[in-house]
Amino acid sequence: LRKDAAQSGAGDPGVVRAVADFETSETAWRGYRDAECHAVFDNWSAGTIRTSMELGCRLHLTRLRTHTLWLNWLTYMDRTPPILPEPPVPPVR
């Protein structure tokens, strides 16, 4: 969340909790991404493709996360257009 958006709702306990929970989820997601993609690297550690596989994992998970953030934070429940266009969702391999 943008800090100015969080500050504008600083008096609202729901906004304060949402910002704190968002930051917690980002930290947890980064930990998951790092662990998952490190495991992919280890799985391919015998080959020269290991770095490419790890980077591919990071890109794939980041694209999925970007779409999730767009869906949860940048869209509206009604027909109001989203703040930004919908990011593409990577295909499942």
Side-chain angles (χ1 to χ4, degrees), residues 7-37:
Q7 290 171 347
S8 68
D12 182 345
V15 171
V16 172
R17 283 192 312 272
V19 170
D21 290 343
F22 176 82
E23 291 171 355
T24 299
S25 75
E26 275 297 290
T27 300
W29 178 80
R30 280 190 212 105
Y32 164 73
R33 181 205 56 202
D34 292 348
E36 176 69 15
C37 295

Side-chain angles (χ1 to χ4, degrees), residues 60 90-93:
H60 183 77
V92 176
R93 297 185 236 176

Side-chain angles (χ1 to χ4, degrees), residues 36-79:
E36 176 69 15
C37 295
H38 187 71
V40 168
F41 180 89
D42 286 343
N43 187 48
W44 292 93
S45 64
T48 57
I49 197 170
R50 63 186 176 267
T51 302
S52 294
M53 295 303 289
E54 180 184 19
L55 291 175
C57 174
R58 288 178 175 275
L59 284 170
H60 183 77
L61 291 179
T62 299
R63 287 178 178 141
L64 288 173
R65 179 67 176 164
T66 299
H67 191 269
T68 299
L69 293 176
W70 174 84
L71 188 63
N72 291 336
W73 298 99
L74 301 176
T75 60
Y76 298 93
M77 294 302 290
D78 59 13
R79 292 180 179 245

